[in-house]
């Protein structure tokens, strides 16, 4: 007779360590002038009731204790927390009260849970560990929260620390391979269009998430590619630093606005994970109606021209992002001489790089008539610059440069159907070369 051992969940419930006790909140930090706007207060249209008043030391769900502020964004604040039950660090993203972005992201996470796949890219797409809603005393609003494990420095920080201020070719290739795998999974199996490609994270173990503030017309989108580490020392250091030497903050009534604290330099970097689905769309929901998406600097031609779009805007986004990570000069500029966002300047730059758009494409856009005549000739207010990818590319020579530019042109095409798919790009000679 063979005796059966107790099933694992029973053993786990008996021998698992008890939850950690909540730690005392940090000592008051440097108090700033309450009249000076700090962090999320500087966002256009900011209102105090839009953001939940998170305080360091708060415990949510009787489980997640806030250790410090990592970042803020246009629609959320992000905090490093200790999971008292699992004895681990997590990242808590607290959305603003208008839940449209939160609802969209929650729908995507729910959908992804139901997608069974052996696709490698499925492991390179962020999932939420937990989600819940919280309410604020004094406000009749609820705020959506997502829990993810935490990350380190951004790829932009890493790039600026290099001698030439650009991402090395081998690291760029590795990053693009992982992102294209994630996109191939999203496009072919999950049927999701990311639309923004600006929240990207890097991971080794454990899986992690950190999000940095986003200006929708920012010129530094690689701030949203984050790097992970093998150990948690930078997280421990972060918590200890916030406890022993609290960062600057301001107090307005019963609300505290904190300055974000940087995590330390990681010793080991990991692979990219595609994250933030607050602007994602399901392919099945896309119709013939145009919808404004993407950060201004990364908008695909069909988005600028107010035409219906599909998953190929993600391919355009990857191309523009790849150039910005690797080159010292931006490929497209979206502002005029007065620093105002200008579709005319953006389109003029595209003409310089890709030539004139096909007439049949322009015929499908009423908005295009503002920039092109009936014969497809340019009539926009901006001059077409005398540039080309060959003139702007300054890192490679001869065959390597030709291969790289060929790779770029597979993504940077006027018409969506002319752009390569993620799967096709993964087989590209430049990307596969070592």
């Amino acid at each position: 007779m063979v005796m059966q051992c107790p099933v694992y969940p029973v053993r786990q419930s008996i021998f698992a360590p008890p939850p950690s006790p909540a730690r005392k909140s940090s000592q008051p930090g440097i108090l700033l002038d309450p009249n000076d706007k700090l962090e999320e207060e500087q966002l256009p249209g900011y209102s105090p009731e839009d953001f939940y008043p998170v305080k360091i030391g708060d415990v949510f769900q009787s489980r997640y204790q806030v250790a410090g502020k990592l970042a803020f964004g246009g629609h959320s604040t992000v905090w490093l927390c200790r999971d008292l039950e699992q004895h681990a660090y997590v990242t808590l993203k607290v959305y603003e009260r208008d839940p449209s972005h939160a609802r969209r992201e929650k729908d995507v996470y729910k959908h992804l849970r139901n997608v069974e796949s052996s696709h490698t890219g499925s492991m390179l797409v962020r999932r939420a560990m937990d989600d819940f809603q919280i309410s604020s005393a004094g406000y009749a609003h609820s705020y959506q929260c997502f829990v993810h494990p935490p990350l380190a420095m951004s790829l932009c920080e890493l790039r600026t620390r290099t001698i030439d201020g650009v991402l090395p070719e081998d690291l760029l290739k590795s990053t693009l391979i992982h992102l294209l795998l994630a996109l191939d999974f999203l496009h072919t199996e999950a049927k999701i269009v990311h639309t923004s490609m600006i929240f990207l994270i890097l991971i080794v173990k454990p899986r992690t998430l950190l999000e940095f503030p986003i200006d929708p017309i920012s010129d530094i989108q690689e701030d949203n590619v984050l790097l992970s580490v093998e150990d948690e020392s930078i997280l421990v250091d972060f918590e200890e630093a916030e406890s022993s030497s609290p960062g600057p903050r301001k107090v307005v009534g019963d609300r505290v606005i904190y300055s974000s604290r940087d995590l330390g330099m990681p010793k080991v970097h990991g692979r990219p994970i595609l994250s933030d689905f607050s602007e994602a769309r399901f392919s099945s929901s896309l119709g013939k109606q145009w919808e404004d998406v993407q950060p201004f600097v990364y908008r695909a031609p069909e988005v600028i021209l107010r035409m219906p779009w599909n998953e190929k805007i993600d391919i355009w986004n990857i191309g523009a992002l790849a150039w910005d990570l690797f080159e010292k000069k931006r490929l497209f500029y979206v502002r005029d001489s007065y620093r105002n966002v200008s579709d005319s300047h953006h389109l003029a730059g595209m003409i310089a790089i890709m030539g004139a758009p096909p007439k049949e494409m322009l015929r499908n856009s009423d908005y295009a008539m503002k920039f092109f005549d009936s014969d497809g000739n340019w009539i926009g207010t901006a001059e077409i610059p005398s540039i080309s990818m060959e003139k702007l590319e300054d890192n490679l020579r001869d065959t390597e440069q030709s291969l790289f530019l060929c790779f770029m042109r597979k993504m940077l095409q006027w018409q969506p159907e002319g752009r390569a798919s993620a799967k096709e790009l993964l087989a590209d000679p430049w990307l596969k070369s070592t």
Side-chain angles (χ1 to χ4, degrees):
M1 180 177 179
V2 179
M3 294 183 62
Q4 292 184 334
C5 294
V7 294
Y8 184 72
V10 174
R11 292 177 59 86
Q12 188 180 43
S13 65
I14 295 175
F15 297 106
S20 299
R23 298 183 180 181
K24 294 182 179 180
S25 59
S26 60
Q27 298 297 319
I30 300 173
L31 291 179
L32 304 176
D33 188 334
N35 295 314
D36 293 338
K37 293 185 177 180
L38 179 66
E39 303 235 331
E40 58 265 26
E41 292 181 307
Q42 301 175 27
L43 295 170
Y46 169 84
S47 178
E49 62 266 23
D50 288 343
F51 287 81
Y52 184 88
V54 178
K55 293 182 180 178
I56 294 176
D58 283 351
V59 178
F60 296 101
Q61 301 295 97
S62 302
R63 177 174 182 178
Y64 307 113
Q65 184 175 29
V66 179
K69 186 178 182 181
L70 290 168
F72 73 98
H75 303 284
S76 62
T77 53
V78 184
W79 308 80
L80 182 68
C81 298
R82 294 175 64 244
D83 183 342
L84 303 178
E85 289 187 8
Q86 296 298 320
H87 310 280
Y89 289 101
V90 296
T91 299
L92 177 69
K93 178 180 181 181
V94 183
Y95 262 104
E96 63 178 348
R97 65 166 176 159
D98 181 3
S100 59
H101 292 83
R103 283 199 304 266
R104 188 176 291 121
E105 189 161 11
K106 185 174 182 177
D107 288 344
V108 170
Y109 289 143
K110 181 179 179 180
H111 174 72
L112 288 173
R113 284 196 296 269
N114 296 323
V115 177
E116 295 184 5
S117 175
S118 59
H119 194 300
T120 303
S122 67
M123 301 299 295
L124 304 174
V125 173
R126 181 191 72 175
R127 267 77 164 176
M129 297 169 57
D130 191 8
D131 72 86
F132 54 90
Q133 291 191 343
I134 52 179
S135 299
S136 175
Y139 299 117
H141 310 304
S142 61
Y143 304 80
Q144 179 67 48
C145 301
F146 293 105
V147 177
H148 308 268
L151 272 194
M153 65 183 291
S154 72
L155 197 57
C156 177
E157 292 177 82
L158 180 64
R159 181 179 63 82
T160 56
R161 291 172 187 249
T162 63
I163 296 176
D164 295 324
V166 297
L167 205 65
E169 184 181 6
D170 57 346
L171 183 54
L172 174 66
K173 289 179 180 179
S174 176
T175 299
L176 292 175
I177 287 171
H178 285 79
L179 296 182
L180 288 169
L181 283 168
L183 275 186
D184 186 47
F185 162 71
L186 287 178
H187 291 171
T188 62
E189 298 193 13
K191 306 299 182 182
I192 290 173
V193 184
H194 190 275
T195 79
S196 62
M197 204 61 57
I198 60 177
F199 286 97
L200 308 173
I201 67 176
L202 293 186
I203 177 174
V204 172
K205 59 180 182 182
R207 288 183 297 173
T208 54
L209 165 69
L210 169 63
E211 295 183 46
F212 277 75
I214 295 301
D215 171 3
I217 53 177
S218 169
D219 287 341
I220 314 179
Q221 298 300 335
E222 65 264 37
D223 263 349
N224 307 289
V225 180
L226 309 179
L227 308 177
S228 71
V229 292
E230 287 273 1
D231 61 78
E232 294 187 343
S233 62
I234 60 171
L235 307 178
V236 174
D237 292 345
F238 177 98
E239 183 180 19
E240 291 181 351
E242 183 60 45
S243 178
S244 61
S245 182
R249 62 201 66 189
K250 57 176 288 188
V251 178
V252 182
D254 61 350
R255 179 180 292 268
V256 182
I257 307 295
Y258 297 89
S259 296
S260 300
R261 180 184 290 272
D262 292 334
L263 289 169
M265 170 72 78
K267 298 176 182 178
V268 180
H269 308 314
R271 65 191 182 209
I273 300 294
L274 187 56
S275 72
D276 188 74
F277 293 93
S278 61
E279 291 291 348
R281 303 292 191 276
F282 295 108
S283 298
S284 60
S285 68
L286 300 179
K288 296 182 179 180
Q289 183 67 34
W290 170 80
E291 188 177 2
D292 192 13
V293 291
Q294 296 188 296
F296 284 102
V297 73
Y298 286 162
R299 288 179 300 168
E302 60 269 34
V303 175
I304 298 177
L305 294 174
R306 304 181 182 181
M307 301 170 62
W309 44 262
N310 58 25
E311 75 279 356
K312 288 299 183 71
I313 65 171
D314 285 345
I315 299 299
W316 175 276
N317 213 158
I318 283 282
L321 177 63
W323 183 275
D324 288 351
L325 290 172
F326 192 51
E327 304 294 338
K328 297 179 181 179
K329 295 181 180 179
R330 184 169 292 289
L331 192 58
F332 302 114
Y333 288 88
V334 303
R335 300 177 188 270
D336 59 21
S337 58
Y338 298 100
R339 296 293 295 163
N340 296 315
V341 174
S342 168
D343 289 345
S344 183
H345 285 74
H346 203 165
L347 290 168
M350 290 181 175
I351 294 173
I353 295 298
M354 302 183 296
K359 292 181 181 179
E360 59 269 25
M361 181 180 185
L362 299 178
R363 294 191 191 104
N364 294 323
S365 168
D366 293 336
Y367 187 60
M369 296 302 99
K370 184 176 180 179
F371 309 101
F372 301 90
D373 65 19
S374 58
D375 293 323
N377 298 309
W378 177 250
I379 59 172
T381 56
E383 292 186 7
I384 298 174
S386 299
I387 58 173
S388 67
M389 281 201 284
E390 284 78 8
K391 292 179 180 179
L392 293 175
E393 205 295 305
D394 198 34
N395 290 327
L396 303 172
R397 297 291 181 270
D398 304 325
T399 302
E400 277 298 302
Q401 185 187 67
S402 297
L403 288 172
F404 172 68
L405 296 183
C406 181
F407 172 73
M408 292 296 300
R409 289 191 171 100
K410 291 179 180 179
M411 297 177 283
L412 302 179
Q413 295 281 330
W414 282 103
Q415 294 181 300
E417 57 268 27
R419 295 171 209 149
S421 66
K423 186 183 295 293
E424 290 168 339
L425 289 168
L426 285 166
D428 180 81
W430 173 80
L431 196 62
K432 294 177 66 176
S433 63
T434 57

